[in-house]
Amino acid sequence: KENFSVNICKLHMVTWNVATADPPDDVASLLHLNSPKTPDLYVIGLQEVYSGPVRFVSDMIFDDPWSQLFISALAPLNYVKLSSIRMQGLLLLFFSKLEHVPFIRDIQATYTRTGIFGYWGNKGGVSVRLSFYGHMLCFLNCHLAAHMKYANERVDEFEHIMDTQTFDCKKAPRIFDHRLVFWFGDLNFRIQDHGMHFVRSCINNQTYNLLWSHDQLIMLKKKEQLLQEFEEGPLDFQPTYKFDLNSDTYDSSGKKRKPAWTDRILWRVRPKSQSSDEQDENDVKERNQLKEEEEYPLKVRQDLYTSKMEYSISDHKPVISIFTLELTKMHQTPLVSLHAEGDWSADIDSIVLYNPLQPFQSSTWDWIGLYKVGFSSVSDYITYTWVKDDEVAFNDKVMQVFMSKEEIPVRGGECVLCYYSSNLQCIVGISEPFKVQESKVAVAEGLFPERINELDRIARSEEF
């Protein structure tokens, strides 16, 4: 049996309605990239990402410009994009520090359209769920119905998403089965009753608390059971909607929309199971949940909840939140150990040694990938090789597979090996970083790409 320990994990969350704008040049401030404390996980939810016909079709094959921006900012800092999902303008990205990757399993993503007002796929929710050191987490990014008068419809849409989204996971087939759920996005709740003058003066005086009692979400929480299960930090920042573009000025158009906290981040820790005497299937499940909650506690603390006023490409300001998750790890050992045997270069076929450290359902579709240190996602491998067999049995046998020299980079560089489980749909083991040597043959023969390009240029110039 594993020796369990408490893990402190930092989670950095972003929600931003980007109003079909192209990405900004810099997201360092949004992601706190210059902060001495780096988060373990990043979860980024965007709404109204541009999805015109041409752009949307191309984005289905390649990462869209917003995903590319976040990947290019985070991959060099050793964050890996483990999941993403896009539904029209809704985008959800999940990044993890490399060290946690083998312990993030059962990753699934899904979406729900809520076209109550006839806008096909324009509103709804996208979610990513996963097991983090054995704890079931779910992240739900929503864009709900607009306008002041549709507060109840927003709640109906949210309840519809919560009721209908399902996952292929016995422990947590629905969103509210998860130990911890984050609900965030452009939820579109407005400030009711107060006139424009009062709202503006509260913002100018930073007396935001005078507006809270008329915020529709806070009002609805008093009567809606589902909303009561979600917690939210105090709205100690100015409302994030609606701004004139490229400014910090609230809507000065003819419509003069009243400012509102449309962009929110809430969370729900699964309520403690109530034990009963009945011996039905639900009761067994609840008793198991209660036992798990006692053995493997999970605590959530919100450290920051604020807007980032310096970003002005949209009529919404982004909202960020930083959480501390304190949890007892259910897993401390990766499922597979692997390492690069001997010297590696493009001059010889190379050997990978691996062995399962715990029982798991391996498959002949499992593979081992060679990645550059600083790789951006599971698909960002240099090359891969299939594993040897589908031995399900857990044993101490060390197995070896070869990687062809043809696929190994001639330039060399710092690399890692990752074992990808087809059944679990995730990486379950990562080697220590190792150096692939520069190819001696390529050096001797002048076969580096820039040298070849130079030779091509010389050859072409001699032809004319």
Side-chain angles (χ1 to χ4, degrees):
K1 184 167 174 169
E2 292 190 54
N3 182 23
F4 301 105
S5 67
V6 173
N7 188 40
I8 305 295
C9 166
K10 289 281 182 195
L11 163 65
H12 185 114
M13 295 190 65
V14 176
T15 180
W16 192 5
N17 181 322
V18 299
T20 71
D22 283 329
D25 296 329
D26 187 17
V27 285
S29 164
L30 188 68
L31 303 177
H32 284 198
L33 295 185
N34 301 319
S35 164
K37 285 185 179 171
T38 58
D40 298 272
L41 307 172
Y42 278 101
V43 176
I44 299 160
L46 304 182
Q47 307 83 39
E48 290 194 33
V49 174
Y50 178 72
S51 58
V54 176
R55 177 79 71 91
F56 185 55
V57 170
S58 65
D59 289 351
M60 289 178 77
I61 305 160
F62 309 104
D63 280 320
D64 63 280
W66 281 95
S67 297
Q68 286 172 358
L69 173 73
F70 289 116
I71 288 167
S72 63
L74 292 171
L77 303 174
N78 267 353
Y79 290 94
V80 181
K81 186 191 82 174
L82 288 183
S83 187
S84 65
I85 182 163
R86 173 104 188 253
M87 182 190 80
Q88 300 273 113
L90 275 165
L91 177 65
L92 178 55
L93 302 165
F94 179 91
F95 292 87
S96 168
K97 263 188 183 167
L98 186 63
E99 67 200 70
H100 302 299
V101 168
F103 303 98
I104 298 174
R105 301 172 192 166
D106 301 317
I107 304 166
Q108 293 180 42
T110 190
Y111 64 89
T112 303
R113 292 193 178 95
T114 56
I116 286 177
F117 304 106
Y119 296 108
W120 176 83
N122 185 38
K123 299 286 193 293
V126 290
S127 62
V128 168
R129 61 88 51 211
L130 49 91
S131 160
F132 182 66
Y133 290 98
H135 295 267
M136 301 292 164
L137 311 186
C138 186
F139 299 90
L140 172 63
N141 170 24
C142 288
H143 191 187
L144 302 180
H147 307 302
M148 178 74 75
K149 63 184 178 183
Y150 291 127
N152 288 321
E153 281 80 0
R154 289 189 265 284
V155 176
D156 290 344
E157 287 185 334
F158 173 55
E159 288 182 344
H160 172 71
I161 292 165
M162 290 289 284
D163 286 342
T164 57
Q165 282 203 357
T166 56
F167 304 98
D168 183 17
C169 173
K170 271 188 183 168
K171 270 182 89 174
R174 296 164 81 177
I175 294 174
F176 46 74
D177 294 318
H178 289 76
R179 189 79 179 272
L180 177 58
V181 177
F182 290 93
W183 172 39
F184 57 110
D186 179 359
L187 308 185
N188 251 324
F189 291 102
R190 310 301 169 103
I191 297 167
Q192 230 169 256
D193 306 324
H194 290 311
M196 178 71 87
H197 179 74
F198 181 74
V199 171
R200 292 262 175 122
S201 75
C202 287
I203 293 169
N204 292 338
N205 299 327
Q206 296 187 8
T207 51
Y208 308 125
N209 58 313
L210 300 180
L211 300 172
W212 294 346
S213 62
H214 288 268
D215 171 82
Q216 289 177 331
L217 181 53
I218 291 171
M219 292 166 75
L220 284 161
K221 275 185 86 164
K222 293 187 173 119
K223 58 177 190 175
E224 294 285 348
Q225 172 66 40
L226 181 60
L227 297 182
Q228 285 167 18
E229 294 179 4
F230 282 84
E231 294 182 64
E232 184 180 24
L235 297 164
D236 275 331
F237 51 91
Q238 68 186 82
T240 51
Y241 175 80
K242 175 185 173 94
F243 289 88
D244 291 342
L245 294 184
N246 304 309
S247 79
D248 291 340
T249 307
Y250 284 103
D251 188 13
S252 63
S253 72
K255 290 184 176 176
K256 286 205 164 42
R257 286 187 188 81
K258 200 163 41 168
W261 284 292
T262 53
D263 310 283
R264 313 285 275 265
I265 300 173
L266 298 91
W267 72 97
R268 172 193 184 267
V269 178
R270 190 177 60 209
K272 283 254 188 295
S273 302
Q274 303 297 314
S275 56
S276 66
D277 296 330
E278 290 179 38
Q279 295 299 310
D280 63 12
E281 193 179 321
N282 279 346
D283 187 49
V284 171
K285 185 179 178 181
E286 284 180 3
R287 276 187 288 123
N288 287 341
Q289 284 181 358
L290 199 60
K291 188 167 180 257
E292 185 182 280
E293 283 158 14
E294 286 167 2
E295 274 188 57
Y296 310 108
L298 169 67
K299 293 178 188 164
V300 183
R301 185 182 77 236
Q302 189 177 48
D303 302 322
L304 180 69
Y305 189 31
T306 191
S307 61
K308 300 298 283 182
M309 292 297 294
E310 63 266 42
Y311 291 95
S312 56
I313 57 172
S314 165
D315 55 357
H316 291 251
K317 300 295 181 186
V319 170
I320 66 166
S321 185
I322 295 173
F323 293 92
T324 297
L325 308 185
E326 188 181 310
L327 51 89
T328 305
K329 297 177 179 179
M330 297 185 205
H331 316 300
Q332 292 200 95
T333 311
L335 295 179
V336 175
S337 157
L338 67 168
H339 75 273
E341 178 71 5
D343 291 336
W344 277 54
S345 81
D347 299 335
I348 48 165
D349 291 343
S350 297
I351 298 171
V352 181
L353 298 182
Y354 70 96
N355 69 301
L357 299 177
Q358 292 183 53
F360 78 102
Q361 186 82 29
S362 58
S363 151
T364 45
W365 294 106
D366 291 358
W367 49 272
I368 293 169
L370 176 68
Y371 294 83
K372 278 269 171 76
V373 167
F375 69 96
S376 61
S377 67
V378 173
S379 58
D380 189 24
Y381 51 79
I382 300 164
T383 183
Y384 66 90
T385 185
W386 299 105
V387 303
K388 223 169 182 182
D389 53 33
D390 60 348
E391 282 189 27
V392 177
F394 164 50
N395 55 38
D396 295 325
K397 192 168 93 182
V398 175
M399 286 166 267
Q400 71 172 35
V401 286
F402 290 91
M403 279 205 177
S404 165
K405 62 185 179 184
E406 273 77 28
E407 305 294 338
I408 294 171
V410 292
R411 271 249 175 254
E414 285 290 310
C415 291
V416 290
L417 294 164
C418 297
Y419 185 111
Y420 185 85
S421 161
S422 173
N423 287 323
L424 295 173
Q425 296 278 295
C426 60
I427 290 169
V428 295
I430 301 179
S431 74
E432 289 295 319
F434 63 97
K435 188 165 178 59
V436 173
Q437 302 298 325
E438 195 173 64
S439 163
K440 292 190 173 90
V441 173
V443 170
E445 298 183 6
L447 292 179
F448 284 126
E450 60 268 34
R451 174 74 181 133
I452 292 168
N453 292 343
E454 182 62 28
L455 291 170
D456 282 348
R457 273 196 298 275
I458 292 166
R460 275 199 302 274
S461 64
E462 287 173 353
E463 284 174 15
F464 296 106

